[in-house]
Amino acid sequence: MGRFLSFSIRKYTWWLLAVSLNLFATTLQANEVEPVPSTFVPSQDTSPILIVDTQEERRFISRAEIESLPLYATTLQHFKGPQGSFAGVWLKDLLSAQDIDETATLRFIAHDDYSAFINSEERDYLLVTRLNGEPLTLTDFGPTMLIVPAEAEAVEAGTANMTHWVWSIRDIIVQ
Ligand SMILES: Nc1nc2c(c(=O)[nH]1)N[C@H]1C(S)=C(S)[C@@H](COP(=O)(O)O)O[C@H]1N2
Ligand SMILES: [Mo]
């Protein structure tokens, strides 16, 4: 009886080990590409860091407002240098919180006056507010930047078009 019990416990242990290794590997894989929900405490900073221009009005958006939306994080090496955990909100979530049509063409204008046309339906854009838990500032290509997690590997390899990876965003104009 004792031998039988210890045998089944041992068998169960191996099974448990295999299952947890499998889960662990899946988590690692998911982390590489698909952003995972992030649990950091949303910013309380209500000073404006982003302008949204609709046809009717100009809106000033703060970190607190952006980070009140569901937060996601993904790990990558950005082509401008920064590396680590990039966290923020899906652009689609911000648009719907701002009552902006997802199909709208958006013109993103950066602090260096770079501009790019973006359509949130074309790809899944993450609007990043943090790197490794710290708020992004102008010196690390913030206060916000657009990344496309699904393209991260291709961008790292230099094989993807990255004209829509706008950093240091100042203004979003809804066309
Ligand atoms: N703020 C800002 N974002 C930007 C750009 C820029 O000049 N300013 N250049 C875009 C372009 S055209 C490319 S190819 C990539 C890489 O820019 P880099 O070659 O200057 O590193 O970033 C994109 N995002
Ligand atoms: Mo470019």
Side-chain angles (χ1 to χ4, degrees):
M1 181 62 188
R3 235 188 324 163
F4 174 69
L5 198 67
S6 93
F7 174 69
S8 37
I9 287 173
R10 228 180 302 156
K11 213 166 85 178
Y12 181 68
T13 306
W14 281 114
W15 178 81
L16 202 68
L17 197 70
V19 168
S20 20
L21 274 175
N22 214 321
L23 272 176
F24 184 57
T26 312
T27 313
L28 281 182
Q29 249 167 19
N31 250 333
E32 272 176 28
V33 274
E34 188 58 24
V36 292
S38 182
T39 51
F40 67 80
V41 180
S43 171
Q44 301 292 301
D45 191 343
T46 55
S47 46
I49 56 159
L50 177 67
I51 296 170
V52 171
D53 283 308
T54 71
Q55 254 126 27
E56 294 83 36
E57 59 180 353
R58 166 161 279 195
R59 301 176 192 160
F60 295 91
I61 317 258
S62 66
R63 288 186 192 281
E65 199 168 351
I66 298 171
E67 292 185 357
S68 70
L69 299 169
L71 300 162
Y72 289 86
T74 185
T75 298
L76 58 89
Q77 155 92 63
H78 193 278
F79 51 79
K80 295 309 278 183
Q83 182 174 13
S85 170
F86 290 75
V89 304
W90 290 114
L91 180 60
K92 275 186 183 148
D93 289 344
L94 180 69
L95 294 181
S96 86
Q98 291 289 321
D99 270 320
I100 296 166
D101 189 350
E102 272 188 14
T103 64
T105 297
L106 309 170
R107 184 171 177 207
F108 275 64
I109 303 181
H111 281 277
D112 62 354
D113 290 328
Y114 176 78
S115 97
F117 290 99
I118 304 288
N119 188 303
S120 78
E121 287 197 318
E122 262 172 48
R123 354 178 133 71
D124 289 330
Y125 289 98
L126 195 67
L127 184 75
V128 173
T129 57
R130 299 199 186 210
L131 173 60
N132 298 321
E134 295 298 320
L136 280 180
T137 63
L138 269 177
T139 40
D140 34 42
F141 308 98
T144 63
M145 64 160 73
L146 270 188
I147 67 170
V148 183
E151 293 175 350
E153 274 179 45
V155 164
E156 273 177 51
T159 57
N161 175 336
M162 49 209 194
T163 53
H164 47 274
W165 284 52
V166 187
W167 69 84
S168 293
I169 299 161
R170 189 180 68 207
D171 194 344
I172 303 174
I173 302 175
V174 185
Q175 301 286 302

